[in-house]
Amino acid sequence: MTPLYTITEFLIDHLQCEHKEALAPMLADVAAACKEIAVAIEAGALNGNMGSLDSENVQGEVQKALDMITHDIFIATNQRSGYVAAMASEEVAEIIEVPLNYRQNGDYLLVFDPLDGSSNVNVNISVGTIFSILKSASKQPTLADFLQAGTAQVCAGYALYGTSTMLVFTTGKGVNGFTLDAKVGEFYLTHPNMQITPDTQEFSINMSNYRFWQEPVQRYVDECLLGADGIRGEDFNMRWVASMVAEVHRILVRGGIFMYPLDMKQPTKAGKLRLMYEANPMSLIVEQAGGAASTGLQRILDIQPSGLHQRVPVIMGSRNEVERLIGYHKINAD
Ligand code: AHG
Ligand code: MN
Ligand code: MN
């Protein structure tokens, strides 16, 4: 039986990493922010926060009221530890400086997607928060300090606001999941050392984009759809929640492959998902759980970012399926 550590006990007694002194209080703040976000989301229509704003974010997406509410909660709560020098969010174009009086030990950068899958909030389906922590080379960070490859992340995680609220994170020594007991407002370690099964018969992709994909992805999905009648010799199942956090969490629990590949729907964009606050943190978690994460042509964590909001094709999950699809990309390139 799993010992029922609270997240505080875990952070004090069991967190393994060289950045523990900073990460323990930072992760305590992340947990506090996620609890507050869970309350805001759970209220649903009761406090009038559903629906869209008149504004667009830097990617030209219409912002929901909860996109900005969760963005504000994440900033206000995570500047308290004293360890965060600056932040960056999906919802604003520029980096966000932490006020000087809040950053006595400000050696870290926090990058986040405050509300992932926000098209789901109005229809009462799971959403999440994704975060990534980097070490800053400077106490006065600029954009250049943020543009580090995913391998440089010292911590990455997500909160899933689903049938229960969970916080899952890695500090580079495996992946642990905590479930919120909403009655007492405390996270407990319920999913220690999460592992992704190397094989799967379940794939996740937005099938409506099929005609815009490149040939390797079409081939992979065609073979899954042929199931027992095709080369794979077994039937596949499909899921699409339209929230990356929910898809990746499902993959951590029961295996699977998640794809948001390059497509020609919007030829100027290199995929839909953003490298620094979606693909990189989720890739670190997936790799730490024994899975794989690639663009099809390159390991995601090795990409040198050129911009805070750059997009990237994403293929991640059960290792043997990801490697099969990487193989199809190689054949295509030859
Ligand atoms: P966000 O709500 O932060 O913009 O992210 C939504 C992302 C991701 O979570 C999900 O996998 C994907 O967009 C859904 O895309 P479709 O609208 O194509 O289903
Ligand atoms: Mn997102
Ligand atoms: Mn978002």
Side-chain angles (χ1 to χ4, degrees):
M1 161 112 184
T2 306
L4 265 187
Y5 301 131
T6 66
I7 195 166
T8 309
E9 288 164 343
F10 180 88
L11 292 173
I12 292 170
D13 295 334
H14 303 283
L15 189 68
Q16 293 175 11
C17 66
E18 57 175 295
H19 301 271
K20 175 171 177 166
E21 188 186 331
L23 286 183
M26 288 172 74
L27 282 164
D29 282 352
V30 167
C34 293
K35 282 193 271 189
E36 211 178 316
I37 291 173
V39 171
I41 290 167
E42 196 187 72
L46 293 174
N47 52 13
N49 287 334
M50 307 305 273
S52 301
L53 303 173
D54 291 332
S55 53
E56 287 185 351
N57 66 14
V58 61
Q59 10 256 332
E61 296 161 346
V62 174
Q63 289 173 313
K64 302 252 185 253
L66 275 168
D67 280 322
M68 288 315 293
I69 291 167
T70 55
H71 164 93
D72 291 342
I73 291 172
F74 217 72
I75 289 174
T77 307
N78 284 297
Q79 60 188 14
R80 297 199 298 229
S81 69
Y83 287 95
V84 184
M87 304 189 211
S89 162
E90 177 188 343
E91 300 306 332
V92 295
E94 311 295 338
I95 68 168
I96 304 153
E97 275 186 37
V98 171
L100 271 178
N101 57 324
Y102 276 121
R103 52 173 147 119
Q104 307 85 333
N105 302 302
D107 290 324
Y108 293 86
L109 308 172
L110 179 63
V111 190
F112 60 95
D113 173 356
L115 189 61
D116 176 66
S118 60
S119 68
N120 282 345
V121 288
N122 287 7
V123 289
N124 206 346
I125 296 176
S126 299
V127 289
T129 297
I130 310 174
F131 68 94
S132 160
I133 300 176
L134 297 158
K135 187 100 172 33
S136 178
S138 158
K139 289 209 182 274
Q140 301 289 336
T142 62
L143 173 61
D145 294 296
F146 280 80
L147 301 182
Q148 304 179 42
T151 47
Q153 294 172 102
V154 296
C155 178
Y158 63 80
L160 171 63
Y161 314 104
T163 48
S164 54
T165 293
M166 285 195 68
L167 181 62
V168 174
F169 63 80
T170 181
T171 54
K173 301 262 193 294
V175 179
N176 289 292
F178 300 79
T179 304
L180 180 64
D181 182 339
K183 294 191 299 299
V184 292
E186 183 68 272
F187 280 107
Y188 290 91
L189 178 64
T190 48
H191 295 58
N193 193 23
M194 297 176 88
Q195 294 286 324
I196 298 176
T197 165
D199 295 297
T200 183
Q201 279 80 55
E202 191 161 79
F203 67 98
S204 293
I205 195 162
N206 184 340
M207 281 295 294
S208 70
N209 292 326
Y210 180 94
R211 72 186 191 281
F212 302 111
W213 300 333
Q214 296 188 312
E215 202 275 329
V217 176
Q218 287 181 335
R219 172 183 171 189
Y220 177 81
V221 172
D222 285 346
E223 290 176 358
C224 291
L225 294 177
L226 280 171
D229 297 334
I231 185 177
R232 301 303 305 268
E234 52 195 351
D235 290 335
F236 278 69
N237 191 25
M238 199 204 87
R239 287 286 183 276
W240 188 248
V241 186
S243 165
M244 184 191 201
V245 169
E247 322 277 7
V248 172
H249 185 73
R250 188 185 60 248
I251 288 169
L252 280 160
V253 172
R254 70 178 192 203
I257 178 170
F258 169 82
M259 297 163 275
Y260 216 114
L262 188 68
D263 69 46
M264 289 301 120
K265 198 172 182 180
Q266 293 177 288
T268 56
K269 293 183 178 166
K272 174 170 187 188
L273 299 177
R274 280 59 56 109
L275 176 62
M276 297 213 56
Y277 42 82
E278 291 177 322
N280 268 345
M282 291 313 219
S283 295
L284 187 63
I285 290 167
V286 164
E287 284 199 6
Q288 282 292 316
S294 170
T295 64
L297 300 172
Q298 185 183 11
R299 181 186 178 210
I300 289 173
L301 291 178
D302 285 337
I303 297 172
Q304 173 56 47
S306 55
L308 210 46
H309 300 281
Q310 88 182 68
R311 294 171 193 264
V312 67
V314 171
I315 298 161
M316 62 171 62
S318 292
R319 198 173 54 241
N320 292 338
E321 290 301 304
V322 174
E323 280 168 7
R324 172 182 282 267
L325 186 43
I326 292 171
Y328 291 178
H329 281 81
K330 282 208 181 95
I331 294 166
N332 209 49
D334 290 342

